[in-house]
Amino acid sequence: MRSLTTITLTIFSLCACADNTATLAPKSNDSAAVTALTDGLHHPWSLAFLSNDEWLITERAGTLRQVKDGTLQGGTVEGVPEVAAIGQGGLFDVLPHPNFANNQRLYLSYAKPCGEEGGTTAVGYGRYENGTLTDFQDVYVAEAACTDTAKHFGGRILFDNDGYLFLTIGDRGQRERAQNTQDPAGSVIRLHDDGRIPEDNPLVGQPDNATEIWSWGHRNPQGLALHPQTGKPWLNEHGPRGGDEINVVKPGVNYGWPVITYGREYYGPSIGETEKQGYAQPLLHWTPSIAPSGMAFITGSRYPDWEGHTANGALKLQHLNMVAFDGQQPVSEVRLLQDRKQRIRDVRQGPDGYLYLLTDSNNGQLLKLNPAE
């Protein structure tokens, strides 16, 4: 299926108010075009570019799909590990190794079955050649995060410029776990590409702590991207009823959940304080919640007006969300694709410089965002 649709963009400016709440006000309008490259995807979760003409897409139920020359191939890639496709669990991110051209290592994060009916967040890799994945092996399994709650798995993975592997793990729906550094739930972890724990991780040498942890106090990080200038990972994460966040991921930092949050209980009352000494403030929070998902930084010349913006999928409010930063200060926000009413699950910038999106549904689409003329 191929189609071309014109969309309307709304641009907002952000005002930092006394209570650290971002106030959005309409600023101007613009237009662009989106092309649906394919549909027929079943709850797609992640997109990876192996080359200019070969891409891979994960589907949450546990299947890996191949796109060649812009066309979705029939069938699925063999060799994917068994996943716990329960609740929010399933097959998550797909990511080639930085040296993929030479070692053919393809990384997958997923909900690994554990216990009688539970799952936990895991990451591993296999050798990908000619449409087949072989010799898959786990490099990390969050054994302590095994639970049958079936939610808040996190599951985003990222390599930084030094070759370290980052993985997000949600609080598994048990919020107090995000403050327990003996437990990887509610954290971002940092590993060598083979799963070894780096000696300079912040909790190394501290007895009884989970030394894979890089940062903690996270609820459910669903987007992870490398800043193009600083080389540092940034993430977005879900709050409860409001309080979604964008954060820079720094070693040894406690991001506060659930001690501090701008979100509220789903039934109304506040959860904790909005700020407290010893807990990091988000760079930006969304209230009401947009339910942010995949995240990318826009680089290159395809979208000159959006250079350096963060592009974030939005599941609940069903749009593509772009935020401009001056350093770490948010200065403007753009909401795209609201008229399409689609849950945006993943956002990636392709090797050609264009933005590609995955929509989360039983008949999910792969979209290409064309720049405004």
Side-chain angles (χ1 to χ4, degrees):
M1 171 184 166
R2 294 180 182 271
S3 64
L4 188 66
T5 307
T6 300
I7 61 173
T8 299
L9 290 72
T10 304
I11 301 177
F12 301 88
S13 59
L14 284 80
C15 170
C17 302
D19 62 355
N20 204 41
T21 301
T23 300
L24 304 181
K27 184 178 179 182
S28 65
N29 294 316
D30 200 353
S31 62
V34 63
T35 304
L37 300 181
T38 188
D39 56 12
L41 296 163
H42 188 263
H43 293 285
W45 212 92
S46 177
L47 170 66
F49 305 98
L50 304 186
S51 66
N52 289 337
D53 54 8
E54 184 177 9
W55 309 344
L56 294 175
I57 296 173
T58 59
E59 294 175 314
R60 188 160 49 82
T63 47
L64 184 61
R65 307 292 301 276
Q66 186 183 38
V67 176
K68 297 195 74 172
D69 297 319
T71 300
L72 181 67
Q73 304 298 291
T76 62
V77 173
E78 296 181 357
V80 174
E82 179 187 1
V83 307
I86 52 175
Q88 297 170 2
L91 184 59
F92 302 136
D93 234 340
V94 54
L95 184 68
H97 188 277
N99 194 29
F100 177 81
N102 294 316
N103 62 23
Q104 281 76 54
R105 283 189 186 180
L106 185 72
Y107 286 73
L108 298 172
S109 60
Y110 66 107
K112 185 180 180 69
C114 64
E116 294 185 1
E117 297 181 354
T120 190
T121 307
V123 61
Y125 71 85
R127 183 178 178 86
Y128 179 85
E129 289 184 289
N130 302 319
T132 300
L133 187 66
T134 57
D135 302 322
F136 187 87
Q137 57 184 295
D138 291 324
V139 299
Y140 178 80
V141 179
E143 300 284 3
C146 180
T147 176
D148 60 2
T149 59
K151 61 182 178 180
H152 297 186
F153 289 89
R156 287 292 176 190
I157 53 178
L158 173 74
F159 280 105
D160 71 5
N161 293 331
D162 295 318
Y164 291 107
L165 176 64
F166 291 81
L167 167 69
T168 71
I169 305 175
D171 69 2
R172 304 310 320 281
Q174 298 165 329
R175 60 183 61 167
E176 67 281 356
R177 300 179 68 177
Q179 289 297 316
N180 181 2
T181 55
Q182 297 179 14
D183 181 350
S187 73
V188 176
I189 71 166
R190 176 181 179 252
L191 306 167
H192 288 290
D193 62 357
D194 59 2
R196 290 177 297 116
I197 296 173
E199 294 182 356
D200 60 346
N201 271 11
L203 299 181
V204 168
Q206 299 185 26
D208 300 324
N209 282 298
T211 53
E212 67 269 31
I213 291 176
W214 185 251
S215 64
W216 63 95
H218 301 286
R219 185 172 181 267
N220 191 25
Q222 291 283 282
L224 190 62
L226 205 63
H227 192 282
Q229 279 77 47
T230 67
K232 304 300 182 184
W234 289 35
L235 62 74
N236 64 41
E237 60 182 290
H238 289 200
R241 185 180 175 186
D244 300 339
E245 298 181 359
I246 290 181
N247 289 298
V248 181
V249 187
K250 298 179 181 179
V253 173
N254 185 339
Y255 289 88
W257 172 255
V259 178
I260 65 168
T261 175
Y262 288 88
R264 306 181 70 87
E265 300 284 7
Y266 289 107
Y267 58 91
S270 61
I271 294 172
E273 302 178 53
T274 55
E275 54 185 296
K276 189 174 183 179
Q277 187 173 0
Y279 302 91
Q281 282 289 305
L283 304 187
L284 168 71
H285 68 91
W286 288 283
T287 301
S289 174
I290 70 167
S293 191
M295 181 182 190
F297 282 95
I298 301 175
T299 61
S301 59
R302 293 292 190 189
Y303 310 96
D305 293 339
W306 302 332
E307 172 72 21
H309 286 45
T310 64
N312 306 274
L315 297 168
K316 182 179 180 181
L317 293 193
Q318 300 180 334
H319 67 275
L320 176 63
N321 187 285
M322 293 193 184
V323 180
F325 284 86
D326 180 3
Q328 295 184 10
Q329 177 65 41
V331 294
S332 66
E333 179 181 352
V334 185
R335 296 189 175 190
L336 296 76
L337 305 177
Q338 294 178 93
D339 60 322
R340 294 180 67 89
K341 301 186 184 304
Q342 291 175 299
R343 290 162 52 88
I344 305 298
R345 170 62 73 179
D346 201 15
V347 182
R348 304 282 176 168
Q349 189 167 20
D352 57 4
Y354 289 109
L355 278 182
Y356 294 88
L357 319 173
L358 292 175
T359 66
D360 178 32
S361 76
N362 289 326
N363 186 27
Q365 293 182 307
L366 170 62
L367 305 177
K368 175 184 178 182
L369 186 70
N370 296 316
E373 296 182 0

